[in-house]
Amino acid sequence: MRHIRPLAGGVLFALCATAAAQDARLAPVVVTATRSAQSPYDIPAAIDVATTPPDGSLDVNLSERVQAIPGIVARDRQNYAQDAQVSIRGFGARSTFGIRGVRLYTDGIPASMPDGQGQVSHFNLDSAERVEVLRGPFSALYGNASGGVVQLFTADGTDPAELRFGVAGGSNGNFRSSVNARGVDGPVDYNVDFTHFRTSGYREHSAARRESGNAKIGWKIDEDAKLTLVVNTLDVPDAQDPLGLTRRQYQADPRQVAAAAKTFDTRKSVDQQQAGVVYDQRIDDANSLRVMGYYGRRGVRQYLSIPVATQVSQPGSSGGVVDLDNEYGGGDARWTWRDTLAGMPLEVAAGVAYDNQEQHRQGYENFQGDTLGVRGAKRRDEIDRVFDFDQYAQADWRVADDWTLMGGVRHSEVRFRSTDRYVAAGNPDDSGTVTYSATTPVFGVLWRATPWMHVYANWGRGFETPTFSELGYRTDRGPGLAFGLKPSHSRNAEIGLKLRPSEAMEAGLAVFRADSDDELAVATNLGGRTTYQNIARSRRQGIEASFKDELARNLRFVASYTHLQASFRTPFLTCVAPGCSAPDTPVDAGTRIPGVPRSVGYAALNYGATSGWQAGLDVSAMGATSVNDLGTESAPGYALFGLSGSYVFDQGPWRVNTFARVDNLADRHVIGSVIVNDGNGRYYEPAPGRSFLVGVDVRWR
């Protein structure tokens, strides 16, 4: 990996030295940074878009879509009982479940709850047009997030109408089938999809099944108004959880599972339904209005591997079965004004957002007598509610032909309330209320140095509240929420280049730094209760580079690279031994933040036209990743190669794509993802060895 940085720098230097001043080609349109359709080339922020799945992929995991985008790490855990791991510039890496520190949206509807925790399991990639990834300071304009924004957009209906069918299968019992219908009928356009996925799993005890449905229906009321309905559903019944492995277990047999996984039949079920409505109204040439509302329900049942002795001996234990019923909803209303100021284009957007989550959290023992892995006596019962109410405004002003200024501010208030309905001896009343608020300004400037080179810089503040999982228990084991926890505040800065030397060539370079106060980290782990603490200062800084070009007719190359230094800047105490009741082991300043790889790289070479034979070769590389706050263990880096081939038949109304793919050509044993600060030292989740996939996708117009 140490050779990639000079290579990336050399590529960018060559671009600047040899490119002629040409008109930039039309880039994909994005809306995540500015809330209006613009080219990412004209935005003073790091934002990229992924529009198509990689050749020959299953296309069921977000990690497959965003490999070529720098700055984001999305790991396929080979464990569908746990949510995907997604981090941007090191933010969100601490999460052992769910996604934190990164805002998630699908068609403008939040997939992150008001407390900042979210999931992408209901992202339906089969019907998606694109995925946008925003990194850096401007993500603060989306509220409770510091590192970035990931937003999926479902494709609009097509004219003529299309029916799509797909099936693919391969190693480890992987199988995906899908059906999609999209079209236009008068003022109505639609995109309806259903996807089935199942796997036996690379490791023992990791089988899973997932059904995902998504429908987007648009109604053009008149020339100035449109109403869009988005409905999706997700069902994941009894996905097996193989847990992580210790280093010794991984080295002995990467396909094995921890004994506790089989003893307690660790598993998870998820059932979710969600609906949202978006109304867009053009008022006149200068003014427009957008109103969004949504509602959803999500149920989770999870069987953990907490030992019986721990639950029996600790009155405050929550048990080994998690039972969550969530209701959530909210809305966003935004007004946009477009006109001129001093004769130059100006766009101003202002709005308010409200999100609410009410969760009935129950916990049960994971045993009845001598029978393990079943729901036993109740050990937890509480109603948790969190809501936010935010106001925001941003402006984009092209002050001169070569200069654009962009800025904004958001005020956020997040309020938590917990009502404990299970109070017993040794388990005090944990009810409580706590409120956090912050105002986060951002500012950026873009200079069009030449038609083929744009230079930008930006600066802003961000914040991230603790989630309900982190507020749930106090370090001193007293009653109530962890009122002592503070939100993390960050100061973010970035400078970058965006290059378009020719119609086929694109490149980008960004240098960034984020300094955070009150970073959240584990304090204690006792009796199934994990508590958290604030670390005074931390820092994330690094460089991102990307490049794509058509090297010859029908021969395309894409590459990206991220180098990231993430570390704690002040010393603190943490727990190491299982059952630790008070932090007692020092962590030195300068220790790496766990879960953050030193570097990430990707490159792919693809050959083929829109029909006929196609082929691709790609490599993905990951640097070493620390797994605990002490920095005493880490997952080693790796590089994996993949090979794909396909034949596309395109004749009349039919388009048939038959494909095959081989991943991990060298059949290397590597650690694909890590479980940060696991109390049992089971940090490692192995990735599959050499694996195969074949399939066919059919489109009828």
Side-chain angles (χ1 to χ4, degrees), residues 12 46 89 135 456 494-497 508-512 542-545:
L12 292 174
R89 294 182 174 177
R135 291 99 65 202
Y456 72 91
E494 172 184 52
I495 58 174
L497 288 174
L509 180 69
V511 179
F512 60 88
I543 183 171
E544 298 169 353

Side-chain angles (χ1 to χ4, degrees), residues 552-608:
R553 181 177 175 83
N554 297 327
L555 183 64
R556 298 169 299 279
F557 177 72
V558 60
S560 65
Y561 175 72
T562 305
H563 178 74
L564 179 60
Q565 297 174 338
S567 61
F568 299 113
R569 307 304 295 174
T570 52
F572 62 97
L573 298 178
T574 189
C575 282
V576 176
C580 173
S581 60
D584 56 5
T585 304
V587 177
D588 296 330
T591 302
R592 291 171 56 195
I593 296 175
V596 181
R598 291 184 184 274
S599 52
V600 180
Y602 176 81
L605 186 66
N606 296 289
Y607 171 79

Side-chain angles (χ1 to χ4, degrees), residues 390-472:
D390 292 12
Q391 309 86 44
Y392 60 89
Q394 63 185 85
D396 185 352
W397 184 25
R398 187 160 181 166
V399 296
D401 290 340
D402 296 336
W403 293 88
T404 293
L405 301 180
M406 180 176 162
V409 64
R410 185 171 184 126
H411 176 76
S412 301
E413 182 173 297
V414 186
R415 181 170 297 178
F416 295 80
R417 184 179 69 198
S418 180
T419 304
D420 194 349
R421 309 201 305 188
Y422 183 84
V423 180
N427 191 344
D429 188 349
D430 291 315
S431 301
T433 301
V434 64
T435 301
Y436 301 108
S437 64
T439 299
T440 51
V442 295
F443 177 78
V445 57
L446 178 80
W447 174 41
R448 297 170 181 85
T450 70
W452 57 270
M453 182 173 70
H454 290 182
V455 183
Y456 72 91
N458 55 51
W459 174 91
R461 293 184 178 273
F463 91 111
E464 179 185 353
T465 70
T467 66
F468 246 126
S469 298
E470 292 152 341
L471 286 169

Side-chain angles (χ1 to χ4, degrees), residues 485-522:
L485 284 182
K486 306 173 186 177
S488 175
H489 292 268
S490 60
R491 300 169 301 283
N492 309 283
E494 172 184 52
I495 58 174
L497 288 174
K498 298 185 179 186
L499 307 175
R500 301 289 188 272
S502 70
E503 291 187 358
M505 186 182 296
E506 300 178 13
L509 180 69
V511 179
F512 60 88
R513 175 166 158 175
D515 289 293
S516 299
D517 298 328
D518 298 317
E519 178 94 15
L520 287 168
V522 171

